[in-house]
Amino acid sequence: MKLHARWTTHLAGIVLLVAGTSAQAATHRHVQSALLHAGFDIDSTWHQKDCGAVADGVPCVAYQTSDNKSDLFYISSKALPLDDAMTADVLFAKDGKGGWTKSGRMDKQAAERIEGKGWKGWRATADCGIEDENGVHDTGECMTVFVSNGQRTIIVETSGTVSNDDVLGIVVSTLSIGK
């Protein structure tokens, strides 16, 4: 009887896990972007918009929630290897130990190595100024993620107001990079 009870408990756990995964997947949609040479999943509540002047001549798309106009993040693409793309970003510097740091408004933070399907990269969060309904102030945390397949680098950056882990976790964990 104990074996049967354990098996039933184990089977119930599997059913709940599958049901939870299916429900979560239903709230996401896949984006395949020819502009970015990348594909990724994103929460269905986020909608694409133009990057505007932030793009600075680089292929870029922005995503924003419809319920909060200050929640915004950007995904851009550069036909550069990882180190070259990171060196070109004024907020990042090599730390002399094989890693990178990101400068914030007040201090520097160490970047963390990350890996995915066919890519390697770095993720860092630092304090930043944000603009919202209360104006411009220094209360944000901006996350930047650089990932590369060796030829192309994708950069994902938050504006300081979005839930970094939730939003970027979906995008980065499903990211695939083309040529």
Side-chain angles (χ1 to χ4, degrees):
M1 189 69 165
K2 286 185 179 183
L3 180 61
H4 176 61
R6 260 190 286 175
W7 172 250
T8 303
T9 302
H10 183 66
L11 183 59
I14 292 170
V15 168
L16 289 172
L17 177 64
V18 169
T21 302
S22 296
Q24 183 179 6
T27 65
H28 301 162
R29 61 185 161 84
H30 185 73
V31 174
Q32 189 65 43
S33 173
L35 174 70
L36 298 173
H37 300 274
F40 51 89
D41 287 357
I42 189 163
D43 190 288
S44 58
T45 62
W46 289 79
H47 305 284
Q48 186 175 330
K49 74 177 262 172
D50 183 45
C51 288
V54 171
D56 195 28
V58 174
C60 178
V61 293
Y63 284 91
Q64 181 174 48
T65 59
S66 56
D67 59 340
N68 186 347
K69 300 301 182 201
S70 66
D71 278 353
L72 183 67
F73 72 96
Y74 304 92
I75 303 175
S76 57
S77 177
K78 294 183 177 183
L80 292 171
L82 182 61
D83 279 4
D84 293 347
M86 291 184 75
T87 300
D89 189 308
V90 298
L91 296 179
F92 282 83
K94 290 192 175 195
D95 68 3
K97 302 174 196 167
W100 292 84
T101 60
K102 179 181 180 184
S103 295
R105 291 177 69 98
M106 304 294 180
D107 60 4
K108 291 182 180 182
Q109 296 295 322
E112 169 191 358
R113 285 184 192 263
I114 58 174
E115 275 187 58
K117 301 171 198 159
W119 55 259
K120 294 181 180 186
W122 296 90
R123 172 180 54 211
T125 301
D127 60 314
C128 62
I130 63 170
E131 184 174 354
D132 61 15
E133 65 276 355
N134 299 317
V136 178
H137 45 94
D138 292 336
T139 60
E141 275 195 338
C142 293
M143 180 185 282
T144 305
V145 177
F146 281 84
V147 296
S148 178
N149 63 2
Q151 299 170 359
R152 176 165 301 281
T153 300
I154 304 297
I155 303 113
V156 184
E157 297 181 275
T158 66
S159 62
T161 59
V162 297
S163 171
N164 297 337
D165 292 336
D166 294 343
V167 174
L168 295 186
I170 295 167
V171 174
V172 173
S173 70
T174 60
L175 185 66
S176 62
I177 304 173
K179 296 188 186 230

